[in-house]
Amino acid sequence: MKHYLQSAEEVFEHVSSTEQGLSEAEAAARLEKNGKNKLDEGKKKTMFKRVIEQLSDPMIIILIVAAVVSAITEWFEAGGFVFPTDTVIILVVVIINTVLGVLQESKAEAAIEALQEMSAATSKVIRDGKLVSVKSEDLVVGDVVVLEAGDAVPADCRIFECASMKIEEAALTGESVPVTKFIDIINLT
């Protein structure tokens, strides 16, 4: 639905909301029904995939080939089975490197998740007629978002009240100058 082609009253009617916002119960029900206001996250790598990625590093492959060549060379030089000391040392180095690489990657991923959780964006919305702050990912269709100077726009919104609003859209459109926004219906004819 192209809400910019409709009046604010029509949009409120379409999304079953009012200027007083949604009730907490209705917002919770819509969040449960429609999901969070965020992009789908990529699947996390399994431990097996991380190990395979570590072992597919060119230097590790060279070390594994060197271990195999060393074992074959020792076997032929001795004329039979001998304990492959060099091979064992090389393989221990490969295993230690793989374990450390997987642990390092797991810790880095956990640190990134913790930083994302700490820096989660919040938005001011009107719920039950009161101004409250919620995580931007918990916004739902019909929420009345209140923006102040310097705030980031957390979702697609229909403006129904503003005073000289300008939005920086460089990340979306590449325009270097903020764009003035209006509450009027956009007439495409």
Side-chain angles (χ1 to χ4, degrees):
M1 172 117 317
K2 298 179 179 178
H3 295 303
Y4 56 86
L5 299 175
Q6 298 178 317
S7 69
E9 292 77 24
E10 291 172 318
V11 173
F12 278 128
E13 186 177 321
H14 182 262
V15 298
S16 303
S17 186
T18 67
E19 290 186 25
Q20 301 307 311
L22 301 170
S23 68
E24 284 290 340
E26 178 63 22
R30 291 183 185 196
L31 184 63
E32 180 70 30
K33 177 183 174 193
N34 300 322
K36 293 198 176 274
N37 175 37
K38 66 179 187 176
L39 298 172
D40 290 335
E41 296 177 3
K43 292 182 179 178
K44 292 185 178 182
K45 294 179 191 174
T46 64
M47 190 66 73
F48 179 74
K49 186 171 183 175
R50 287 182 185 175
V51 169
I52 295 301
E53 284 179 355
Q54 289 293 322
L55 292 175
S56 65
D57 181 79
M59 285 304 296
I60 298 299
I61 292 171
I62 290 171
L63 284 173
I64 292 171
V65 169
V68 170
V69 169
S70 175
I72 293 170
T73 305
E74 286 181 22
W75 188 68
F76 278 119
E77 282 181 359
F81 179 78
V82 292
F83 186 75
T85 309
D86 294 343
T87 303
V88 170
I89 291 171
I90 294 171
L91 291 177
V92 166
V93 169
V94 168
I95 291 169
I96 290 172
N97 183 64
T98 302
V99 169
L100 290 176
V102 168
L103 288 175
Q104 192 86 3
E105 190 175 329
S106 297
K107 285 182 181 180
E109 188 174 285
I112 289 172
E113 287 176 4
L115 285 172
Q116 287 175 337
E117 186 67 30
M118 284 175 30
S119 66
T122 59
S123 300
K124 293 179 282 294
V125 297
I126 298 177
R127 291 206 178 147
D128 292 322
K130 299 175 190 150
L131 186 66
V132 295
S133 183
V134 298
K135 286 185 177 180
S136 294
E137 68 181 31
D138 292 337
L139 290 177
V140 295
V141 174
D143 264 334
V144 176
V145 178
V146 177
L147 297 173
E148 296 176 355
D151 286 352
V153 179
D156 287 344
C157 300
R158 169 65 166 94
I159 302 167
F160 67 91
E161 184 180 313
C162 75
S164 67
M165 178 183 275
K166 291 187 178 210
I167 303 290
E168 176 67 49
E169 297 179 343
L172 297 172
T173 64
E175 293 184 47
S176 59
V177 180
V179 178
T180 302
K181 298 296 177 179
F182 305 97
I183 63 171
D184 302 327
I185 298 171
I186 296 176
N187 189 357
L188 298 177
T189 56

